[in-house]
Amino acid sequence: MADDDYYVDPGLFNSSLNNSQEHTYFLQFRKIFLPCMYLVVFVCGLLGNSLVLVIYIFYQKLKSLTDVFLVNLPLADLVFICTLPFWTYASIHEWVFGQIMCKILLGIYTLNFYTSMLILICVTVDRFIVVVQATKAYNEKAKRTSWGKVMCLSAWVVSLLFSLPQIIYGDVEHLDRYICGYHKEEISTMVLAIQMTLGFFLPLHVMIVCYSVIIKTLLRARGFHKHRSLKIIFLVVALFLLTQMPFNLVKLIRSTSWEYHSMPSFQYAIIVTEAIAYLRVCLNPVLYAFVGLKFRKNFWKLVKDIGCLPYLGVSRQRDFSETTSKTCSTSHQAEATSMFQL
């Protein structure tokens, strides 16, 4: 793939597997496993993230700060997803799209990976403010929405700056076939350090700090959303850890010694954990959008508008209308302490 947080330079495989039989087995495994995984991520991610964008743009109209964040998140994931067909073809055959496309796709992938992680941080901080500082967040709603737009723009700009090494040093090299990547050891080390910091340790640290305080606040609250909100918190953290930690851990271990590059087991570990990391773009729409009552209500409006499952859509809308009415009749404190009162 393109990004070293999800990208593994194929040249490392070709140069490190000295045993020809193991090398052949590994290439066969990669040629089957990676395209299949890319296809699953492409289809599921494209459908899920496109659906989120359509609903937020045409139905929810970006009325809140959360809406702003949850439009930028699928947008970042979608641009990454659109690069998958190129990497799928390259994983089966070789890189045939030229040096310029190599640089562009490396940059696009990295840009959207960093943006996605920074937006996840913004969502976490936003939930922290809404739950822990509920009254202040409610009184400064318009101001927070404006700041949120600035933060999203800043996330894209910062991500672009950190993507420059991939754009500048990305190149096509011929080993046993043409490969797109960055092949200098010092560049790979720098990129790895940036990606592990910005793409894993920073989001993880923010999640641990913010969600710890949020959990304490929810446990003291009497809102009817408390238990549901706690479940969502654990799901958010669990999703991040289960999808991102294995790949980052394997990369971190491998970076400590070049001996690991020659171990076939580590090459298989990189491929499998990379595939697990990709699942993030498929699961983000479910976790960050469909948990919201308002989003699900608008989803069934969309289903009805396009003529699919009309009776089910009406039934669902009626259910959500009743749920929303009950929600609005509760106290402001109960609403404020809901993790995803979308």
Side-chain angles (χ1 to χ4, degrees):
M1 262 302 301
D3 190 288
D4 213 36
D5 202 35
Y6 289 134
Y7 165 66
V8 184
D9 184 352
L12 294 176
F13 300 136
N14 299 329
S15 62
S16 63
L17 296 180
N18 299 317
N19 185 289
S20 60
Q21 188 174 16
E22 290 181 341
H23 178 64
T24 302
Y25 288 153
F26 176 77
L27 289 180
Q28 291 175 348
F29 171 78
R30 189 185 64 181
K31 186 174 289 189
I32 297 174
F33 181 77
L34 278 184
C36 291
M37 196 64 203
Y38 290 165
L39 179 62
V40 171
V41 174
F42 179 80
V43 173
C44 296
L46 184 64
L47 291 176
N49 287 284
S50 298
L51 182 62
V52 171
L53 274 182
V54 168
I55 291 177
Y56 271 108
I57 293 175
F58 295 103
Y59 287 84
Q60 297 195 194
K61 306 294 185 181
L62 307 184
K63 295 179 181 179
S64 68
L65 177 57
T66 303
D67 294 341
V68 174
F69 288 146
L70 294 185
V71 161
N72 280 267
L73 184 60
L75 181 61
D77 288 340
L78 272 176
V79 179
F80 152 67
I81 289 168
C82 291
T83 67
L84 284 177
F86 296 93
W87 305 112
T88 301
Y89 184 89
S91 67
I92 299 174
H93 303 287
E94 63 178 355
W95 188 262
V96 297
F97 307 106
Q99 184 174 358
I100 294 179
M101 280 297 291
C102 174
K103 290 178 178 289
I104 291 174
L105 291 175
L106 283 172
I108 288 176
Y109 175 87
T110 312
L111 166 68
N112 289 279
F113 167 72
Y114 286 146
T115 302
S116 181
M117 288 303 174
L118 290 176
I119 295 299
L120 287 179
I121 293 175
C122 291
V123 171
T124 303
V125 175
D126 174 51
R127 295 300 88 198
F128 172 84
I129 295 174
V130 168
V131 176
V132 178
Q133 301 177 348
T135 302
K136 182 178 179 180
Y138 183 81
N139 294 334
E140 299 180 357
K141 185 176 181 180
K143 184 178 179 180
R144 288 176 56 247
T145 302
S146 299
W147 273 106
K149 295 177 181 179
V150 173
M151 291 170 63
C152 287
L153 179 60
S154 300
W156 285 94
V157 173
V158 170
S159 299
L160 177 60
L161 293 177
F162 280 111
S163 301
L164 290 179
Q166 280 86 340
I167 298 174
I168 296 172
Y169 296 103
D171 197 9
V172 179
E173 188 171 297
H174 186 271
L175 296 171
D176 62 340
R177 59 179 184 153
Y178 286 103
I179 297 162
C180 172
Y182 33 92
H183 308 282
K184 296 181 179 180
E185 181 182 347
E186 58 273 16
I187 300 302
S188 297
T189 302
M190 178 184 67
V191 169
L192 177 63
I194 295 174
Q195 290 174 345
M196 298 230 20
T197 301
L198 197 63
F200 181 70
F201 289 114
L202 180 60
L204 180 61
H205 177 73
V206 173
M207 284 184 176
I208 291 174
V209 173
C210 290
Y211 287 140
S212 295
V213 180
I214 289 174
I215 289 173
K216 291 181 181 179
T217 304
L218 290 174
L219 290 176
R220 292 196 300 264
R222 296 182 179 179
F224 68 96
H225 282 293
K226 179 173 65 175
H227 297 295
R228 179 173 177 270
S229 298
L230 289 173
K231 291 179 181 179
I232 293 173
I233 291 174
F234 290 125
L235 284 175
V236 168
V237 177
L239 172 64
F240 184 83
L241 290 176
L242 291 175
T243 58
Q244 306 306 308
M245 180 174 284
F247 189 45
N248 281 276
L249 183 60
V250 170
K251 287 194 307 176
L252 186 62
I253 294 174
R254 196 183 66 170
S255 66
T256 60
S257 174
W258 278 99
E259 293 180 1
Y260 291 112
H261 290 266
S262 62
M263 296 174 60
S265 59
F266 253 78
Q267 310 311 325
Y268 284 100
I270 284 286
I271 288 290
V272 174
T273 55
E274 175 193 21
I276 295 173
Y278 282 139
L279 295 177
R280 173 184 58 85
V281 300
C282 301
L283 298 176
N284 274 345
V286 177
L287 188 56
Y288 287 92
F290 278 94
V291 295
L293 295 175
K294 188 166 65 176
F295 182 89
R296 282 181 285 165
K297 180 180 178 181
N298 287 323
F299 168 74
W300 288 109
K301 285 182 180 179
L302 174 64
V303 169
K304 181 183 179 183
D305 289 346
I306 63 178
C308 298
L309 305 176
Y311 297 106
L312 182 57
V314 171
S315 176
R316 290 285 184 177
Q317 287 185 59
R318 185 181 301 113
D319 293 341
F320 283 120
S321 297
E322 294 174 357
T323 303
T324 304
S325 299
K326 294 178 181 178
T327 302
C328 293
S329 66
T330 59
S331 65
H332 168 65
Q333 179 63 26
E335 292 180 353
T337 55
S338 174
M339 262 295 293
F340 286 90
Q341 190 64 23
L342 310 183

